[in-house]
Amino acid sequence: MKTYLLILVIALWGIGCQTPKGLYKQGNLQGAIQLAAQKIRSGNTSDKHRLVLEQAFNESVQAELKRIEQLKLEGNPANWEKVLSLYQSIDYKQSIVKPLLPIYIKKEYRNAEINIQDIDEAMANAKNYAAEFLYAKGNILIQQKNKYSAREAYYQFSKINSLYPDYKDTKLKIDSAKQLGTNLVLIDYKNNSPMMLPKSFIQELMLLSANQFETEWATFITKLDHRKVDNIIVINLKNIAISPEQ
C-alpha cells in the first residue's frame, strides 16, 4: 500500500512540476500554450513564460495552417473533416491567447509577436464542406440496405447533427439509419419444467430479460407486432428451484 501511495505522490509531483518550457521541449505545444497562459493569467510576470507562449503558439498555428493547405491541395472531399478539426484547434488556441494581449516582454522591450489568424470564414466553409461530404457518404451507405452500412450511415449523419443540428433532413436520416441498422429480437420462453407457472410470472420474466439484453443496435421484444423480426431467442426453462424468502 505504501508503495502505491509513493508512486501516486511521485506522479502527482511530476505533473505539478511541469513548466511551459519543459512541455515545449517535449513537443507538447498545446500543453505549453495552456500552461504559459495560465501562469500569465495568474499574475506571473516572468518573461520566460511569455517567450514560450509566443514561440509555442506561433509554431503550433503555423504547423496547422501548413497541414490545412496540404490537405486542401490533395483535393479529397474526405479531408474536410480533418481541415475543420485543424481550424477548430487554431480557434481554441487563439481563444486562450487573445484575452492576454498585448503580452509585454520586459527584457526585450517589446510586445510578443502573437500572429492571430482570421479564420472565421475559412472555418465556416470547412464546416459546410465537411457536412456536405458526410451527408453524401451517409446517403450512399444507407442506400445499401444492410444493417452494417446503416449503422455507419447513422454515425455519419450524427456527425453532421453535431455540426449543424438543422442541416437538411439529417434528423430524419438519423432515425431511418437507426431503424434500419437495429436488430429486432423476439424473446420467447418454453416451460419444460415440471411446474405450472402463472402467466404473470412468465410476462415479468420476459420483460426483465428484454430490458437486460437491450444494446445500442439490438431491440428486444416479447410480443410480435407489425415489424419484421431479425432473430428469435427461445429460453428453455427445464428446472425451477424455489428457496425460502430471505
Side-chain angles (χ1 to χ4, degrees):
M1 183 63 179
K2 290 182 180 179
T3 303
Y4 290 127
L5 287 174
L6 179 60
I7 292 171
L8 177 60
V9 168
I10 292 172
L12 292 173
W13 178 81
I15 294 170
C17 288
Q18 288 278 28
T19 65
K21 188 173 183 179
L23 291 169
Y24 175 80
K25 286 184 175 180
Q26 293 168 18
N28 185 354
L29 300 183
Q30 179 80 19
I33 292 166
Q34 290 175 316
L35 188 55
Q38 178 185 327
K39 289 184 177 296
I40 294 170
R41 278 196 305 270
S42 65
N44 191 312
T45 59
S46 173
D47 279 347
K48 62 183 180 181
H49 299 320
R50 296 161 186 251
L51 288 165
V52 168
L53 179 60
E54 176 186 46
Q55 196 165 3
F57 177 84
N58 289 332
E59 283 185 20
S60 178
V61 170
Q62 289 305 312
E64 287 175 328
L65 288 172
K66 182 178 179 180
R67 180 59 181 151
I68 286 170
E69 290 308 310
Q70 290 172 340
L71 290 169
K72 287 181 178 179
L73 286 173
E74 289 176 8
N76 184 352
N79 286 344
W80 283 112
E81 268 192 281
K82 298 176 187 176
V83 170
L84 176 59
S85 178
L86 288 165
Y87 275 130
Q88 289 172 333
S89 175
I90 294 170
D91 187 57
Y92 173 69
K93 283 189 276 285
Q94 293 191 157
S95 72
I96 294 174
V97 174
K98 275 182 181 179
L100 305 176
L101 299 177
I103 299 171
Y104 188 67
I105 300 171
K106 291 179 291 186
K107 70 178 183 179
E108 297 184 8
Y109 306 102
R110 66 177 179 88
N111 288 328
E113 294 180 9
I114 301 292
N115 300 316
I116 298 295
Q117 305 292 320
D118 183 5
I119 60 170
D120 289 348
E121 184 178 350
M123 186 162 61
N125 289 336
K127 185 177 177 181
N128 186 55
Y129 291 140
E132 285 181 2
F133 170 77
L134 292 169
Y135 187 83
K137 183 178 179 182
N139 277 331
I140 291 171
L141 287 165
I142 204 169
Q143 287 167 12
Q144 293 176 15
K145 301 295 183 182
N146 68 73
K147 293 193 180 298
Y148 296 108
S149 295
R151 293 171 189 178
E152 184 58 31
Y154 172 85
Y155 295 127
Q156 302 305 311
F157 291 128
S158 295
K159 287 180 184 178
I160 299 172
N161 198 48
S162 67
L163 298 175
Y164 292 109
D166 297 316
Y167 187 84
K168 296 184 179 180
D169 58 347
T170 297
K171 290 183 179 178
L172 291 174
K173 297 285 188 181
I174 289 173
D175 292 340
S176 178
K178 180 69 173 177
Q179 184 177 352
L180 182 59
T182 299
N183 279 315
L184 187 64
V185 183
L186 174 67
I187 298 178
D188 194 15
Y189 280 84
K190 298 296 181 184
N191 183 13
N192 291 318
S193 73
M195 295 183 62
M196 291 291 294
L197 298 173
K199 187 176 181 180
S200 60
F201 175 81
I202 294 293
Q203 289 174 342
E204 288 185 19
L205 192 60
M206 291 176 73
L207 184 61
L208 178 65
S209 297
N211 292 334
Q212 182 180 0
F213 294 145
E214 201 84 12
T215 66
E216 182 182 10
W217 293 109
T219 296
F220 293 82
I221 59 174
T222 57
K223 291 182 179 180
L224 286 172
D225 54 25
H226 64 281
R227 294 171 293 179
K228 180 183 176 182
V229 173
D230 298 295
N231 304 97
I232 298 175
I233 295 176
V234 178
I235 299 177
N236 190 6
L237 299 175
K238 291 184 176 181
N239 185 34
I240 298 175
I242 300 176
S243 62
E245 190 173 324
Q246 299 294 323

